């Protein structure tokens, strides 16, 4: 695929980041400041997205929450990529029982109720921070990468250049690092976008059910406010839902650039 | 006859093996929760009572939850409790067994999940058959494919509140969130919301599978025998794609349980999700551990059922087939 096409795939994500940075830096007050007098106020020229519960300025809140959600998703997806790719490739090179065990583990982890796992693990901390949330997501984020790397390595391990490396006496770790993994990166990187999108949504869901960061600056927190004020101020709900949609769609489209 | 018997035995064996594997995962998950609560920095007793608690109260809580015993003794007690489905009393409601509260909450969540699976699978299959059969133009099919991809990627947590707002607050055709008199209509609407992503996944996989089946000789035979398109697609083609559809439903169950937490919270419905959130907020450790294990078990049972159904429906997964 041409460079130009790839650049186009990155446009929505870039646009979203720029918009959020502009929104966060032009905000008249810090995200999350309460001003009960103007609670649930409608969008106006001064406050483009209006206010939410207890009068928080939605422009500032959503911009900062969006940036943090995108950063968290990117960090977790990259961690899963960095852990899962070598794991899957090593398992496929080892063949036999190890290969089967890793493949089955990937299946189970991918189908498992990870959201409930996250709830359970987060209950061990007083109030979850973004780091905690990221670590919990990373517990399962490696699986799709490992599965893809495993499948791709099954094809590669029979290739002539791998056989040549074996014949030349290279150690298995050397073959993995020098010959297999570099050939996988393109295929496995495609998964980055959908994993990042899933993390954006999961983080919003955690915030929605009340397990977001304590300062309340999260997309899920905005959605929660929106449901509370559904009858009085539907704009809060629409703003929150649009922000989650935009973040997840931008990540999905950006993932196509890796193809 | 003997072969059929052997294949059923082997199918049951396969399902049992899968169930054992998944069971091991549930024990691993429960252990992870157990150790996370006890080993991460922060004293569970202090998490329960807050910072103001006196040393005497803290000691009492530790004794009640056996937190003063060595870790391995606690773990052995926990595993024994798992085996006998008894994790002690609910901490916030003394005298009530934690597992009794979990059992109560399991019923509405299982109902919700069942409604979602039935609605999702049915809608997905209907869409897949209509889009693959001879009824639509190429353009119509392409539209349906795009729609399925888009809906499958749409996040439940974002669209469910918006749809609820549009239908409950504006159009007033479904009950509002938190309406205590919602009853069956509330269950159906909540289940339908949960079914949307599942239906899209079933539709996509069903469409792929049906497209492959469309070339199969047995469909040509059916056509040659004079069967109409409805009979060919609904009666002959549909059962042949049951395997992949069951697999995709089983693979989506984890997401479905997570979605159930969101939907239950939004509609303020009783259920496993609200119980987990309540136990989380009040740090009711026995209930929390029990609820997570119950969610895991629900998942294991459904996976094993999925494998069994697939083996029963699709002769190719049985032993003795080439």
């Amino acid at each position: 695929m041409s460079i130009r096409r790839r650049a186009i795939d990155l446009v929505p994500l870039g646009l979203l980041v720029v918009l959020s940075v502009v929104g966060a830096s032009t905000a008249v007050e810090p995200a999350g400041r309460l001003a009960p007098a103007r609670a649930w106020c409608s969008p106006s020229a001064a406050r483009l997205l209006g206010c939410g519960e207890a009068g928080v300025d939605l422009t500032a809140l959503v911009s900062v929450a969006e940036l943090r959600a995108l950063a968290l998703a990117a960090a977790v997806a990259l961690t899963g990529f960095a852990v899962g790719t070598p794991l899957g490739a090593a398992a496929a090179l080892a063949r036999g029982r190890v290969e089967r065990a890793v493949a089955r583990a990937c299946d189970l982890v991918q189908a498992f109720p990870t959201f409930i796992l996250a709830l359970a693990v987060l209950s061990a901390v007083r109030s979850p921070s973004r780091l905690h949330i990221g670590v919990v997501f990373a517990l399962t984020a490696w699986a799709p990468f490992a599965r893809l790397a495993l499948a791709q390595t099954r094809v590669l391990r029979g290739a002539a250049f791998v056989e040549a490396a074996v014949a030349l006496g290279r150690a298995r770790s050397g073959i993995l690092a020098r010959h297999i993994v570099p050939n996988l990166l393109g295929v496995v990187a495609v998964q980055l976008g959908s994993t990042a999108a899933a993390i954006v949504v999961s983080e919003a869901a955690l915030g929605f059910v009340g397990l977001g960061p304590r300062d309340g600056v999260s997309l899920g927190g905005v959605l929660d406010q929106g449901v509370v004020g559904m009858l009085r101020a539907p704009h809060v709900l629409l703003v929150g839902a649009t922000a989650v949609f935009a973040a997840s769609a931008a990540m999905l489209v950006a993932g196509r650039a890796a193809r | 006859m003997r072969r059929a018997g052997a294949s059923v035995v082997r199918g049951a064996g396969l399902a049992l093996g899968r169930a054992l594997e998944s069971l091991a995962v549930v024990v691993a998950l429960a252990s992870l929760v157990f150790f996370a609560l006890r080993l991460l920095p922060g004293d569970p007793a202090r998490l329960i009572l807050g910072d103001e608690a006196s040393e005497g109260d803290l000691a009492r809580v530790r004794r009640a939850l056996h937190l003063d015993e060595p870790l391995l003794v606690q773990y052995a007690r926990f595993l024994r409790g798992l085996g006998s489905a008894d994790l002690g009393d609910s901490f916030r409601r003394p005298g009530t067994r934690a597992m009794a509260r979990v059992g109560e909450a399991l019923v509405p969540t299982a109902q919700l999940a069942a409604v979602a699976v039935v609605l999702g699978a049915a809608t997905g299959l209907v869409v897949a058959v209509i889009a693959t059969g001879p009824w639509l133009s190429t353009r119509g099919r392409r539209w349906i494919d795009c729609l399925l991809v888009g809906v499958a990627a749409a996040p439940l947590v974002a669209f469910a509140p918006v749809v609820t707002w549009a239908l409950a607050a504006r159009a007033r055709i479904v009950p509002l969130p938190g309406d205590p008199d919602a009853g069956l209509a509330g269950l159906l609407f909540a289940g339908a919301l949960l079914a949307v992503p599942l239906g899209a996944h079933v539709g996509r996989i069903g469409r792929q599978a049906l497209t492959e089946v469309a070339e199969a000789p047995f469909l040509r035979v059916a056509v040659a025998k004079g069967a109409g398109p409805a009979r060919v697609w609904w009666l002959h083609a549909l059962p042949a794609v049951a395997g992949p559809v069951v697999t995709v439903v089983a693979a989506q169950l984890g997401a479905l349980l997570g979605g159930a937490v969101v939907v239950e919270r939004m509609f303020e419905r009783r259920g496993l999700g609200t119980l987990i959130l309540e136990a989380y907020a009040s740090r009711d450790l026995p209930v929390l551990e029990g609820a997570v294990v119950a969610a895991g078990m629900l998942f294991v049972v459904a996976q094993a059922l999925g494998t069994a159904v697939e083996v029963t429906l699709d002769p190719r997964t049985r032993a003795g087939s080439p």
Side-chain angles (χ1 to χ4, degrees):
Chain A
M1 192 174 301
S2 71
I3 301 271
R4 193 160 165 199
R5 184 68 201 272
R6 290 183 190 200
I8 290 176
D9 285 337
L10 288 173
V11 166
L13 183 61
L15 211 61
L16 196 60
V17 170
V18 170
L19 267 178
S20 304
V21 168
V22 170
S25 52
T26 56
V28 273
E29 55 198 42
R33 157 135 0 133
L34 307 182
R38 52 161 205 263
W40 307 113
C41 71
S42 301
S44 62
R47 301 182 193 283
L48 284 178
L49 299 178
C51 315
E53 195 170 22
V56 288
D57 180 19
L58 278 186
T59 317
L61 183 62
V62 168
S63 305
V64 175
E66 187 94 331
L67 282 178
R68 291 191 186 165
L70 291 174
L72 179 89
V76 173
L78 286 172
T79 311
F81 177 60
V83 174
T85 312
L87 178 74
L93 268 194
R95 300 182 193 232
R97 196 171 286 173
V98 179
E99 184 185 346
R100 276 200 303 278
V102 171
R104 187 78 189 120
C106 291
D107 283 353
L108 278 173
V109 168
Q110 273 192 294
F112 207 78
T114 43
F115 188 68
I116 287 171
L117 173 84
L119 285 177
V121 176
L122 287 177
S123 64
V125 294
R126 186 170 298 251
S127 64
S129 70
R130 245 160 244 284
L131 182 67
H132 291 130
I133 295 175
V135 168
V136 169
F137 287 147
L139 283 180
T140 53
W142 56 271
F145 296 103
R147 190 214 281 261
L148 272 175
L150 203 147
Q152 191 65 14
T153 308
R154 274 188 192 147
V155 179
L156 283 178
R157 70 189 175 193
F161 65 90
V162 175
E163 274 177 27
V166 174
L168 286 169
R170 251 197 188 281
R172 196 187 277 168
S173 56
I175 296 177
L176 191 69
R178 294 290 294 271
H179 298 285
I180 303 275
V181 170
N183 276 297
L184 294 177
L185 291 179
V187 177
V188 181
V190 173
Q191 178 68 29
L192 276 172
S194 40
T195 296
I199 305 257
V200 166
V201 175
S202 303
E203 195 244 6
L206 274 184
F208 179 70
V209 300
L211 273 87
R214 183 171 252 186
D215 60 5
V217 182
S218 79
L219 294 178
V222 179
L223 279 172
D224 187 31
Q225 288 187 19
V227 170
V228 171
M230 188 186 272
L231 297 175
R232 262 169 298 182
H235 70 273
V236 183
L237 184 58
L238 295 179
V239 167
T242 313
V244 175
F245 260 119
S248 120
M251 282 296 192
L252 276 179
V253 175
R256 299 184 349 168
R259 271 196 306 207
Chain B
M1 244 349 255
R2 196 193 288 157
R3 260 185 91 166
S7 73
V8 167
V9 169
R10 156 128 187 187
L14 188 65
L16 190 70
R18 286 284 168 85
L20 282 180
E21 263 176 20
S22 316
L23 205 62
V25 175
V26 170
V27 173
L29 171 84
S31 306
L32 183 70
V33 174
F34 174 89
F35 285 112
L37 285 170
R38 283 160 184 83
L39 291 184
L40 284 184
D43 177 1
R46 218 172 259 289
L47 272 181
I48 293 169
L49 293 179
D51 284 329
E52 319 286 280
S54 70
E55 271 309 314
D57 286 342
L58 288 174
R60 192 177 51 75
V61 168
R62 285 192 198 112
R63 217 172 20 254
L65 292 175
H66 307 288
L67 291 169
D68 49 354
E69 292 174 3
L71 193 64
L72 280 179
V73 176
Q74 288 185 46
Y75 188 53
R77 180 191 300 278
F78 175 70
L79 288 183
R80 225 179 15 250
L82 271 189
S84 56
D86 178 13
L87 294 170
D89 279 6
S90 160
F91 191 73
R92 296 288 167 183
R93 287 202 202 150
T96 316
R97 289 258 168 246
M99 284 319 243
R101 292 192 66 190
V102 172
E104 252 168 52
L106 204 53
V107 177
T109 301
Q111 279 174 350
L112 187 65
V115 168
V117 166
V118 170
L119 285 180
T123 327
L125 283 177
V126 168
V127 171
V129 169
I130 290 177
T132 318
W135 297 284
L136 288 181
S137 63
T138 319
R139 195 150 173 214
R141 286 177 195 182
R142 210 175 296 146
W143 269 106
I144 288 192
D145 283 341
C146 285
L147 194 72
L148 286 176
V149 171
V151 174
L156 178 77
V157 66
F159 79 74
V162 174
V163 172
T164 309
W165 169 73
L167 294 185
R170 307 295 293 191
R172 299 193 179 272
I173 46 179
V174 296
L176 278 168
D179 183 353
D181 306 323
L184 187 65
L187 175 69
L188 284 179
F189 180 55
L193 281 179
L194 209 48
V196 169
L198 180 71
H201 283 290
V202 170
R204 279 180 59 195
I205 300 296
R207 178 100 171 80
Q208 269 175 23
L210 280 173
T211 312
E212 277 167 33
V213 167
E215 305 296 319
F218 72 86
L219 278 198
R220 285 166 204 265
V221 172
V223 174
K225 281 165 77 182
R231 192 179 165 83
V232 166
W233 285 97
W234 295 104
L235 212 64
H236 292 274
L238 200 53
V241 302
V245 167
V246 171
T247 310
V248 72
V249 170
Q252 288 296 316
L253 275 174
L256 195 74
L257 278 176
V261 179
V262 170
V263 167
E264 283 174 8
R265 151 95 187 195
M266 194 172 81
F267 289 102
E268 294 165 35
R269 284 177 60 82
R270 298 285 320 149
L272 206 56
T274 29
L275 183 71
I276 290 180
L277 293 176
E278 199 188 303
Y280 167 79
S282 63
R283 308 284 171 181
D284 196 336
L285 300 193
V287 173
L288 188 64
E289 286 165 352
V292 171
V293 172
M297 291 300 295
L298 202 63
F299 170 73
V300 169
V301 171
Q303 287 264 316
L305 269 179
T307 314
V309 170
E310 190 186 340
V311 169
T312 316
L313 289 179
D314 192 340
R316 286 167 300 185
T317 56
R318 285 182 210 144
S321 58

